[in-house]
Amino acid sequence: MISGGTGGTRRERFFEVISKARARRCAAIMGVCNVTPDSFSDGGRYLSRADALARVDALLAAGADILDIGGESTRPGAKPVPADEQLLRVLEVVRYAAHKGAVVSIDTTLPEVAHACLDAGAVCVNDVSNLHEPTLADVAFGAGAALILSHARHPQELMRGATAVTETEYDNIVPEVLRDFCAARKKAEARGVPHDAIVMDPGLGFSKTARHSMELLRRTAELVSGADAPVLIGASRKSFLTLVDRRAGSDDRLGPSILAAEFAARAGASIVRVHDVRETRQALDLSVVLYTHTGHGVGGGVP
């Protein structure tokens, strides 16, 4: 049994933070802490223990509501990282972040990694496989944790990047993604995870063309209304954003990343997952001020 907290205390804390953040700026900001050598945007920057702990401090100082800590790259085609290696990378970082008072999500598809990190203070499991490994739901249920299910039709090592996917992969991407998510959620619920403990992530960039991902982002409001669950949008620095700037590298996508987060928040997304926390927070806060003062309100869809 995972120690520390019983019943729904972990997920209750997770969703309380989201609720308070949404009241302030429409969406909670999830800051990314990749303790990996090969993540698409910041691989290798925070692989050392000292750099990872400094990243935690920086994300909290910048205003992150949630920290998403992972020890395995989720870029398409990335090689799986064994549980012991993931734990070597992330366990002390999770423990440190939790000690600092952070609300921590552990980004993993492995039940043993999720279990150890929940025991170290995480309150949520972020599963980018859409519950490819169903026993991950057992771990989340046993800990009373929240569970994020990110849409993916293939295991990570078989995931194809945007240029390797054809436009015919989906006939109508929004209902198909919603259908796949609902199937994964039913699997999680069958293993005890409460309906209201699950978050939906449409998996922008995961075996989708750039146009698929852009379409999902553009139709965030439909995802929100159709999911019957809080929706997380993770567009930050992803390659599909080069549709507006073909030559922009991952570090040159701050502008579209911020606008994508602001758009998603105003379309009803509950969480935006970002690398650039301070800049995103500033944009969302300014959006609230501007739309409040112009009479458009601050939530419930794109004005």
Side-chain angles (χ1 to χ4, degrees), residues 61-78:
D65 301 298
I66 304 162
L67 301 189
D68 193 42
I69 300 173
E72 179 179 58
S73 173
T74 56
R75 63 179 175 80

PDB file of all heavy atoms in Angstrom, residues 61-78:
ATOM      1  N   ALA A  61       8.896  29.028  -8.922  1.00  0.00           N
ATOM      2  CA  ALA A  61       9.056  30.483  -8.831  1.00  0.00           C
ATOM      3  C   ALA A  61       8.333  31.192  -9.976  1.00  0.00           C
ATOM      4  O   ALA A  61       7.852  32.322  -9.819  1.00  0.00           O
ATOM      5  CB  ALA A  61      10.533  30.848  -8.846  1.00  0.00           C
ATOM      6  N   ALA A  62       8.247  30.536 -11.131  1.00  0.00           N
ATOM      7  CA  ALA A  62       7.598  31.134 -12.296  1.00  0.00           C
ATOM      8  C   ALA A  62       6.077  31.072 -12.217  1.00  0.00           C
ATOM      9  O   ALA A  62       5.398  31.728 -13.001  1.00  0.00           O
ATOM     10  CB  ALA A  62       8.072  30.442 -13.569  1.00  0.00           C
ATOM     11  N   GLY A  63       5.549  30.273 -11.270  1.00  0.00           N
ATOM     12  CA  GLY A  63       4.108  30.231 -11.079  1.00  0.00           C
ATOM     13  C   GLY A  63       3.406  28.977 -11.547  1.00  0.00           C
ATOM     14  O   GLY A  63       2.184  28.980 -11.730  1.00  0.00           O
ATOM     15  N   ALA A  64       4.131  27.874 -11.734  1.00  0.00           N
ATOM     16  CA  ALA A  64       3.488  26.625 -12.140  1.00  0.00           C
ATOM     17  C   ALA A  64       2.532  26.141 -11.058  1.00  0.00           C
ATOM     18  O   ALA A  64       2.861  26.150  -9.871  1.00  0.00           O
ATOM     19  CB  ALA A  64       4.537  25.560 -12.429  1.00  0.00           C
ATOM     20  N   ASP A  65       1.353  25.701 -11.477  1.00  0.00           N
ATOM     21  CA  ASP A  65       0.385  25.128 -10.542  1.00  0.00           C
ATOM     22  C   ASP A  65       0.660  23.650 -10.312  1.00  0.00           C
ATOM     23  O   ASP A  65       0.377  23.119  -9.231  1.00  0.00           O
ATOM     24  CB  ASP A  65      -1.039  25.293 -11.099  1.00  0.00           C
ATOM     25  CG  ASP A  65      -1.401  26.744 -11.334  1.00  0.00           C
ATOM     26  OD1 ASP A  65      -1.431  27.504 -10.354  1.00  0.00           O
ATOM     27  OD2 ASP A  65      -1.632  27.116 -12.508  1.00  0.00           O
ATOM     28  N   ILE A  66       1.173  22.988 -11.325  1.00  0.00           N
ATOM     29  CA  ILE A  66       1.461  21.556 -11.293  1.00  0.00           C
ATOM     30  C   ILE A  66       2.819  21.348 -11.935  1.00  0.00           C
ATOM     31  O   ILE A  66       3.158  22.028 -12.903  1.00  0.00           O
ATOM     32  CB  ILE A  66       0.395  20.755 -12.083  1.00  0.00           C
ATOM     33  CG1 ILE A  66      -1.012  21.042 -11.550  1.00  0.00           C
ATOM     34  CG2 ILE A  66       0.688  19.257 -12.057  1.00  0.00           C
ATOM     35  CD1 ILE A  66      -2.112  20.644 -12.525  1.00  0.00           C
ATOM     36  N   LEU A  67       3.597  20.402 -11.417  1.00  0.00           N
ATOM     37  CA  LEU A  67       4.851  20.017 -12.051  1.00  0.00           C
ATOM     38  C   LEU A  67       4.695  18.622 -12.639  1.00  0.00           C
ATOM     39  O   LEU A  67       4.288  17.690 -11.946  1.00  0.00           O
ATOM     40  CB  LEU A  67       6.006  20.009 -11.043  1.00  0.00           C
ATOM     41  CG  LEU A  67       6.326  21.311 -10.320  1.00  0.00           C
ATOM     42  CD1 LEU A  67       7.628  21.156  -9.544  1.00  0.00           C
ATOM     43  CD2 LEU A  67       6.415  22.481 -11.277  1.00  0.00           C
ATOM     44  N   ASP A  68       5.017  18.479 -13.921  1.00  0.00           N
ATOM     45  CA  ASP A  68       4.963  17.182 -14.582  1.00  0.00           C
ATOM     46  C   ASP A  68       6.396  16.692 -14.758  1.00  0.00           C
ATOM     47  O   ASP A  68       7.144  17.221 -15.584  1.00  0.00           O
ATOM     48  CB  ASP A  68       4.267  17.312 -15.931  1.00  0.00           C
ATOM     49  CG  ASP A  68       3.896  15.977 -16.540  1.00  0.00           C
ATOM     50  OD1 ASP A  68       3.412  15.101 -15.795  1.00  0.00           O
ATOM     51  OD2 ASP A  68       4.067  15.802 -17.764  1.00  0.00           O
ATOM     52  N   ILE A  69       6.773  15.696 -13.990  1.00  0.00           N
ATOM     53  CA  ILE A  69       8.150  15.211 -13.962  1.00  0.00           C
ATOM     54  C   ILE A  69       8.222  13.852 -14.647  1.00  0.00           C
ATOM     55  O   ILE A  69       7.447  12.943 -14.331  1.00  0.00           O
ATOM     56  CB  ILE A  69       8.653  15.101 -12.504  1.00  0.00           C
ATOM     57  CG1 ILE A  69       8.611  16.488 -11.831  1.00  0.00           C
ATOM     58  CG2 ILE A  69      10.068  14.517 -12.448  1.00  0.00           C
ATOM     59  CD1 ILE A  69       8.925  16.459 -10.341  1.00  0.00           C
ATOM     60  N   GLY A  70       9.145  13.723 -15.601  1.00  0.00           N
ATOM     61  CA  GLY A  70       9.264  12.466 -16.318  1.00  0.00           C
ATOM     62  C   GLY A  70      10.697  12.082 -16.580  1.00  0.00           C
ATOM     63  O   GLY A  70      11.562  12.938 -16.773  1.00  0.00           O
ATOM     64  N   GLY A  71      10.953  10.777 -16.631  1.00  0.00           N
ATOM     65  CA  GLY A  71      12.288  10.270 -16.872  1.00  0.00           C
ATOM     66  C   GLY A  71      12.416   9.495 -18.160  1.00  0.00           C
ATOM     67  O   GLY A  71      13.396   8.770 -18.372  1.00  0.00           O
ATOM     68  N   GLU A  72      11.420   9.637 -19.049  1.00  0.00           N
ATOM     69  CA  GLU A  72      11.442   8.954 -20.338  1.00  0.00           C
ATOM     70  C   GLU A  72      10.894   9.902 -21.391  1.00  0.00           C
ATOM     71  O   GLU A  72       9.817  10.475 -21.211  1.00  0.00           O
ATOM     72  CB  GLU A  72      10.589   7.687 -20.284  1.00  0.00           C
ATOM     73  CG  GLU A  72      10.522   6.916 -21.587  1.00  0.00           C
ATOM     74  CD  GLU A  72       9.674   5.656 -21.477  1.00  0.00           C
ATOM     75  OE1 GLU A  72       8.482   5.756 -21.130  1.00  0.00           O
ATOM     76  OE2 GLU A  72      10.214   4.567 -21.720  1.00  0.00           O
ATOM     77  N   SER A  73      11.598  10.081 -22.479  1.00  0.00           N
ATOM     78  CA  SER A  73      11.136  10.958 -23.539  1.00  0.00           C
ATOM     79  C   SER A  73       9.833  10.446 -24.124  1.00  0.00           C
ATOM     80  O   SER A  73       9.646   9.235 -24.311  1.00  0.00           O
ATOM     81  CB  SER A  73      12.184  11.053 -24.646  1.00  0.00           C
ATOM     82  OG  SER A  73      11.675  11.774 -25.744  1.00  0.00           O
ATOM     83  N   THR A  74       8.914  11.375 -24.415  1.00  0.00           N
ATOM     84  CA  THR A  74       7.657  11.003 -25.062  1.00  0.00           C
ATOM     85  C   THR A  74       7.629  11.427 -26.526  1.00  0.00           C
ATOM     86  O   THR A  74       6.567  11.421 -27.144  1.00  0.00           O
ATOM     87  CB  THR A  74       6.460  11.631 -24.316  1.00  0.00           C
ATOM     88  OG1 THR A  74       6.634  13.041 -24.252  1.00  0.00           O
ATOM     89  CG2 THR A  74       6.337  11.062 -22.916  1.00  0.00           C
ATOM     90  N   ARG A  75       8.775  11.783 -27.080  1.00  0.00           N
ATOM     91  CA  ARG A  75       8.789  12.118 -28.500  1.00  0.00           C
ATOM     92  C   ARG A  75       8.557  10.841 -29.314  1.00  0.00           C
ATOM     93  O   ARG A  75       8.946   9.736 -28.894  1.00  0.00           O
ATOM     94  CB  ARG A  75      10.119  12.761 -28.900  1.00  0.00           C
ATOM     95  CG  ARG A  75      11.324  11.866 -28.734  1.00  0.00           C
ATOM     96  CD  ARG A  75      12.619  12.558 -29.163  1.00  0.00           C
ATOM     97  NE  ARG A  75      13.778  11.730 -28.876  1.00  0.00           N
ATOM     98  CZ  ARG A  75      14.185  10.725 -29.630  1.00  0.00           C
ATOM     99  NH1 ARG A  75      13.533  10.434 -30.728  1.00  0.00           N
ATOM    100  NH2 ARG A  75      15.247  10.024 -29.304  1.00  0.00           N
ATOM    101  N   PRO A  76       7.889  10.959 -30.452  1.00  0.00           N
ATOM    102  CA  PRO A  76       7.636   9.774 -31.276  1.00  0.00           C
ATOM    103  C   PRO A  76       8.914   9.017 -31.607  1.00  0.00           C
ATOM    104  O   PRO A  76       9.930   9.608 -31.987  1.00  0.00           O
ATOM    105  CB  PRO A  76       6.998  10.367 -32.547  1.00  0.00           C
ATOM    106  CG  PRO A  76       6.336  11.614 -32.068  1.00  0.00           C
ATOM    107  CD  PRO A  76       7.264  12.167 -31.021  1.00  0.00           C
ATOM    108  N   GLY A  77       8.862   7.693 -31.423  1.00  0.00           N
ATOM    109  CA  GLY A  77       9.993   6.837 -31.733  1.00  0.00           C
ATOM    110  C   GLY A  77      11.026   6.709 -30.638  1.00  0.00           C
ATOM    111  O   GLY A  77      12.007   5.966 -30.789  1.00  0.00           O
ATOM    112  N   ALA A  78      10.825   7.395 -29.506  1.00  0.00           N
ATOM    113  CA  ALA A  78      11.790   7.303 -28.411  1.00  0.00           C
ATOM    114  C   ALA A  78      11.844   5.880 -27.860  1.00  0.00           C
ATOM    115  O   ALA A  78      10.824   5.197 -27.762  1.00  0.00           O
ATOM    116  CB  ALA A  78      11.424   8.283 -27.310  1.00  0.00           C
TER     117      ALA A  78
END
